[in-house]
Amino acid sequence: MSLKVAVLACVAVVALCDKAPVYAPPPPAYAPAPYHAPEPAYHAPEPAYHAPEPAYHAPKHYEPEHPDVPAKYNYNYGVSDEYSGANFGHSESRDGYKTEGSYTVDLPDGRKQIVKYVDNGDGLVAEVTYEGEAQYPEYKPEYKPAYKPAPPAYAPPPPTYA
C-alpha cells in the first residue's frame, strides 16, 4: 500500500512540474544609451604657411624645344680587372640615324669576342669575330680538406697495474 502512495505522489509531482512556468529574467526596463565621444575642447589653428606658386607655367600642349635636331654623341668605356679576370669595353658614336659601335669581351674559354655593329636607320647589322683559340684544359680536382678532424671527445683512462 505504501508503494501505491509513493507512486501516486511521484505522478502528482511530475504533473505539477510539467505545468510550472519556466523562470526567465524580466526584460531590462531601459536600453543603454549609445556612446558619443565628447567634442574636443580645442581647435587646431589653420596652417600659417601656404605652398608657393610654381616659378614656371607649363604650356597646355608641350612641344620639345628642338624637335628637328638629330641625336649626336660619342662615348666609350673599358674595364680591366686582373683580380677577377674581367676585361671588356664598349664604344659607340651616333650622328642622326647612323649609329656605329663595337664592344669586346674576354670569354671564359680564353678567346676574345669582338662585335662591330652599324645601324643606318634601316636595321642593325652586326659582325662578330673571335681572336684566339678556345682552351678547355682537363679538370683535375684536388682534395684539400677544409678542416682538421676533431680529437676524440672521450679518451679512456690509462690502465692501472697492481
Side-chain angles (χ1 to χ4, degrees):
M1 174 81 178
S2 63
L3 181 62
K4 289 182 184 177
V5 172
V7 170
L8 185 60
C10 287
V11 170
V13 168
V14 168
L16 288 175
C17 287
D18 189 36
K19 304 262 181 176
V22 177
Y23 174 76
Y30 67 93
Y35 176 75
H36 295 289
E39 291 292 322
Y42 64 90
H43 295 284
E46 290 293 321
Y49 64 90
H50 298 283
E53 291 292 321
Y56 65 93
H57 296 285
K60 291 181 182 180
H61 178 69
Y62 177 73
E63 294 272 342
E65 291 183 27
H66 305 290
D68 298 330
V69 177
K72 186 172 185 177
Y73 62 83
N74 291 313
Y75 79 88
N76 62 17
Y77 68 88
V79 175
S80 179
D81 184 13
E82 293 179 14
Y83 180 75
S84 67
N87 189 9
F88 54 91
H90 186 194
S91 65
E92 182 174 293
S93 64
R94 180 172 179 181
D95 188 6
Y97 289 106
K98 183 174 183 176
T99 305
E100 296 181 37
S102 67
Y103 62 89
T104 61
V105 64
D106 285 350
L107 300 175
D109 62 7
R111 297 179 297 165
K112 177 181 270 191
Q113 180 184 31
I114 303 167
V115 178
K116 295 180 182 178
Y117 58 91
V118 177
D119 185 0
N120 292 321
D122 56 353
L124 182 74
V125 178
E127 176 188 344
V128 181
T129 58
Y130 296 93
E131 289 181 357
E133 189 172 327
Q135 303 292 322
Y136 301 105
E138 184 179 336
Y139 177 67
K140 296 179 184 176
E142 295 181 18
Y143 176 72
K144 295 181 182 177
Y147 63 91
K148 292 182 180 179
Y154 170 76
T160 57
Y161 299 104

